[in-house]
Amino acid sequence: MAARKAGPATSTPKKAVPTKTKKAKKAASTKPKKTVPSATKAKKAVPTKPKKTVPSATKPKRGRVEAEQVAPVKAESKRTTSTRISNIRAAANHLVLGIDIGGSGIKGAPVDLHEGRLANDRIRIDTPQPSTPEACGVVVNDIVRHFSTMTAANGPVGCTYPGVVWDGITHTAANMDQGWLERDADAFFEEACKRPFTVINDAQAAVLAEIRHGAARGAEGLVLMLTFGTGIGSGLAYRGVAVPGIEFGHLRMEGNDAERFAAASARDRENLSFKKWTERVNAYLARVEAMIWPEVIVLGGGVVNDAQRWVPYLKTRTPVVVAELGNDAGIVGAAIAATTQPNRKR
Ligand code: BGC
């Protein structure tokens, strides 16, 4: 068939604390009602009387309360006010940070969940080599910090990973450092970035984005998304639910994983023309179609930027559409996952 192209979190202010003169400390211990102990009261206190409180964006750690209490009053108030403003703005615009970890690049941007679009230009940083969890954690933390004023200060972050992920645990690492095997990625990033994290497979995230906001919007049956990049990602969705653990990139072809033969990286590595490479993609899609009868196949990955150079050569039984969100589908899907895909282990 001819291919057709389709077209709050809130911060947790610590208990407001009066300025730390001896007098005030005494008052706080003897007359606790004059302090502002609840988060609600603290919030009210900040815009009207900022100098009377010393709030902080994070909960004080035990034993560190004294140190935090002696922070300069003006600076703390200013920071908290801007934190609150960014929280309000983020909630009002439904902004959630999405991060897409790939074999060659790590990209991130705040996502407008209502529109299903990036709310800001994304940033991209080369995936560190070796791509250990620790090295990737530094990059992910940089991205979180880069967008800290555009998303809720303690808001959830969605993050993709290019391998099998179940409930935040990364089980495979075909194109990543082996240190990711059996890693609790949710917990790891939470510790590194001090934000709640939801890590899901990159193609699962991409199909989630495309069924909600992209080329497969409104598709009621089985939707298969295939992403062509460093590897071949496969995401499957049915009636709005994207399922984990679909790994069609690892079908055996030519004595190897199909992604070695037909991923976009194979075209680069072997310097193939788009036409030659598409012959491989056709052979691969024939194998896939022997196993599964989706209603539509959505094509994704960076190579869709050149869709007109290869999509017209595709020969498939199934209607094919190009990802509307292009290479941003992973980022958008990650942000969606952060608010909709519960980790059953928590
Ligand atoms: C991984 C998949 C991933 C794909 C694209 C494959 O090597 O096994 O889980 O979706 O690459 O990144």
Side-chain angles (χ1 to χ4, degrees):
M1 165 170 303
R4 62 187 163 87
K5 191 174 170 182
T10 56
S11 66
T12 312
K14 77 179 183 186
K15 291 177 183 177
V17 179
T19 49
K20 58 292 168 208
T21 57
K22 276 184 185 169
K23 207 175 157 190
K25 273 188 182 168
K26 199 179 166 201
S29 60
T30 52
K31 295 180 182 175
K33 280 181 189 166
K34 289 207 171 174
T35 61
V36 186
S38 80
T40 326
K41 283 186 179 174
K43 273 182 186 172
K44 278 185 184 164
V46 174
T48 51
K49 296 175 182 176
K51 286 180 186 170
K52 289 204 173 175
T53 60
V54 187
S56 133
T58 51
K59 263 188 183 167
K61 285 181 194 146
R62 266 183 213 172
R64 297 295 306 270
V65 176
E66 275 300 312
E68 290 193 328
Q69 283 177 356
V70 296
V73 175
K74 263 193 173 168
E76 286 289 306
S77 296
K78 219 173 167 185
R79 194 177 65 199
T80 303
T81 303
S82 75
T83 295
R84 289 188 63 249
I85 289 169
S86 55
N87 281 353
I88 291 164
R89 195 190 301 132
N93 295 328
H94 311 277
L95 299 187
V96 168
L97 184 59
I99 297 177
D100 188 14
I101 299 182
S104 57
I106 302 182
K107 299 164 288 189
V111 174
D112 179 330
L113 289 183
H114 258 12
E115 297 294 323
R117 292 287 183 272
L118 305 194
N120 200 78
D121 285 348
R122 70 185 193 194
I123 57 170
R124 181 193 181 281
I125 300 172
D126 281 349
T127 305
Q129 298 302 335
S131 53
T132 59
E134 290 69 25
C136 293
V138 171
V139 173
V140 167
N141 192 31
D142 283 349
I143 295 175
V144 169
R145 287 169 48 170
H146 182 84
F147 291 115
S148 63
T149 57
M150 289 199 66
T151 54
N154 293 330
V157 180
C159 182
T160 74
Y161 170 78
V164 173
V165 188
W166 287 350
D167 292 311
I169 313 279
T170 47
H171 292 287
T172 65
N175 297 304
M176 297 295 282
D177 185 82
Q178 301 302 293
W180 284 99
L181 295 176
E182 309 310 326
R183 195 80 187 228
D184 186 339
D186 279 3
F188 173 72
F189 285 127
E190 277 172 16
E191 178 59 29
C193 306
K194 309 290 180 235
R195 300 269 292 259
F197 260 76
T198 300
V199 179
I200 69 166
N201 172 264
D202 52 3
Q204 187 190 353
V207 76
L208 202 51
E210 291 293 332
I211 59 172
R212 293 209 176 188
H213 301 285
R217 197 173 42 234
E220 288 176 359
L222 194 59
V223 176
L224 173 64
M225 175 139 189
L226 296 170
T227 62
F228 294 85
T230 309
I232 297 180
S234 45
L236 200 60
Y238 187 62
R239 303 205 172 156
V241 177
V243 296
I246 307 298
E247 288 289 332
F248 291 161
H250 296 278
L251 284 171
R252 300 294 285 177
M253 283 185 82
E254 307 278 318
N256 214 329
D257 277 1
E259 64 182 21
R260 289 289 299 172
F261 173 72
S265 58
R267 195 184 82 80
D268 296 338
R269 196 173 49 241
E270 298 178 43
N271 212 8
L272 301 174
S273 67
F274 272 105
K275 201 166 179 189
K276 275 270 167 240
W277 175 66
T278 312
E279 285 169 19
R280 293 187 179 193
V281 176
N282 276 329
Y284 169 68
L285 291 175
R287 292 286 309 280
V288 171
E289 286 190 306
M291 295 183 302
I292 184 166
W293 284 65
E295 172 179 316
V296 62
I297 295 176
V298 185
L299 303 171
V303 74
V304 299
N305 293 335
D306 289 307
Q308 73 290 349
R309 300 179 69 184
W310 60 281
V311 173
Y313 299 118
L314 290 178
K315 295 176 190 144
T316 57
R317 175 193 67 224
T318 314
V320 171
V321 295
V322 173
E324 249 180 43
L325 300 169
N327 209 13
D328 295 336
I331 298 177
V332 173
I336 295 171
T339 55
T340 61
Q341 308 285 296
N343 181 329
R344 293 169 307 163
K345 297 217 170 88
R346 306 201 162 182

